[in-house]
Amino acid sequence: MIENITFIIAMEAEAMPLIDKFGLTEEAAFSPKLPMRAWKGKWQGINLTLVTNGKNKDTGLDLIGCEAAALATFQAVKEFQPQLLINAGTAGAFEENGARVGDVYLSRDRVVFHDHRVPIPGWDHQSEGHFPVWDTGQLRTLGFKYGIVTTGSSLDMPQEDEKNIRRLGGEIKDMEAAAVAWVALLHEVPVFCIKAVTDLVDSGKPTHDEFLRNLRLATNNLCDGCERIIRFLAQSPDIRLR
Ligand code: ADE
């Protein structure tokens, strides 16, 4: 039985529906020097914690991206010692694979960096990460879509990144998952991603416009998806963590 789960979420807009849904309350869990924020609660018998990357104090904007995600995950693992990490957020996906705005995907197999280009044998593969993710096949009956998540530090998709994503079999494009998975791997904590689609990266439309237009729809669907997963895990004593 899983008793202790931590969500790692980049943006507060992605996290707030979940904080409300699960009735979590904020805790001063980290050094005041750090921007990360944490919430805690119990829902359906599972101890839930949720950590966001926090905001830049000068701009007031969320600290999206790998650096903040890695630090948030490190702090979360140290403080809450979860049995399972869930990286929840929004992402881009490919229309040509049948993705639609608002779809909710679970990670499968591994997460990879698609913009770490180091053409030296050994470092090429290592730099891409290829971090394993938890076996979400156990959640099949919930009817989510599945995809390989690839991570980069930019919202757009220049040709070089697109080439890499295609080579890596990437289906979901985000800005945090591989960083979260790396820290999870170091601490031997199983991790998976749930990502709601804000934009179709092959639609020809500007990604930032699609992202902002569809953020509310995607975060609502993300919240519904997370609720269904926690309810399922709470009712599945035989779920395997390894
Ligand atoms: N988050 C939402 N949409 C994204 C995209 N297209 N690329 C990276 N991160 C995203």
Side-chain angles (χ1 to χ4, degrees):
M1 180 75 201
I2 304 180
E3 287 165 354
N4 186 8
I5 295 175
T6 299
F7 286 94
I8 306 289
I9 302 184
M11 295 173 59
E12 273 177 30
E14 296 164 332
M16 281 307 161
L18 280 173
I19 289 166
D20 288 346
K21 171 83 68 184
F22 295 135
L24 308 181
T25 49
E26 186 159 15
E27 279 229 326
F30 309 131
S31 155
K33 297 250 191 254
L34 293 176
M36 286 82 215
R37 294 176 70 185
W39 287 261
K40 230 175 164 173
K42 193 163 187 155
W43 195 78
Q44 301 277 311
I46 299 187
N47 293 309
L48 295 178
T49 41
L50 185 155
V51 173
T52 60
N53 288 359
K55 300 196 182 210
N56 177 304
K57 68 176 170 24
D58 298 325
T59 65
L61 298 171
D62 295 287
L63 289 161
I64 56 176
C66 293
E67 296 84 351
L71 191 50
T73 309
F74 179 68
Q75 294 296 323
V77 168
K78 234 174 40 157
E79 188 64 28
F80 302 124
Q81 302 185 356
Q83 292 167 286
L84 179 65
L85 282 163
I86 304 178
N87 174 221
T90 53
F94 287 85
E95 195 165 28
E96 69 183 35
N97 293 339
R100 298 282 173 270
V101 165
D103 280 352
V104 181
Y105 278 77
L106 301 185
S107 56
R108 66 179 172 86
D109 201 30
R110 73 203 113 96
V111 293
V112 187
F113 287 110
H114 60 244
D115 61 354
H116 289 190
R117 293 180 286 275
V118 185
I120 300 173
W123 271 308
D124 45 7
H125 189 86
Q126 174 179 293
S127 303
E128 288 172 352
H130 298 268
F131 306 120
V133 286
W134 181 67
D135 172 21
T136 47
Q138 296 180 85
L139 307 177
R140 274 270 173 223
T141 52
L142 295 176
F144 290 104
K145 292 190 168 184
Y146 281 81
I148 289 184
V149 180
T150 74
T151 299
S153 293
S154 300
L155 187 66
D156 67 355
M157 187 173 66
Q159 264 181 10
E160 197 64 18
D161 287 358
E162 179 172 358
K163 210 173 78 188
N164 279 336
I165 292 171
R166 291 184 184 285
R167 173 176 56 81
L168 296 161
E171 293 155 298
I172 295 295
K173 175 177 176 286
D174 92 327
M175 294 180 66
E176 286 91 15
V180 173
W182 175 56
V183 179
L185 181 68
L186 291 177
H187 292 86
E188 301 179 351
V189 182
V191 63
F192 73 95
C193 311
I194 173 168
K195 300 279 168 177
V197 175
T198 47
D199 52 273
L200 300 167
V201 293
D202 54 347
S203 65
K205 297 179 197 155
T207 296
H208 53 282
D209 288 345
E210 275 199 277
F211 173 76
L212 292 172
R213 188 169 337 111
N214 299 318
L215 185 60
R216 184 180 286 267
L217 166 72
T219 53
N220 284 338
N221 292 356
L222 179 69
C223 181
D224 288 349
C226 290
E227 181 191 3
R228 290 201 296 127
I229 288 173
I230 299 300
R231 198 182 289 284
F232 180 84
L233 293 176
Q235 294 166 357
S236 308
D238 296 332
I239 211 88
R240 279 175 287 103
L241 276 170
R242 307 261 158 212

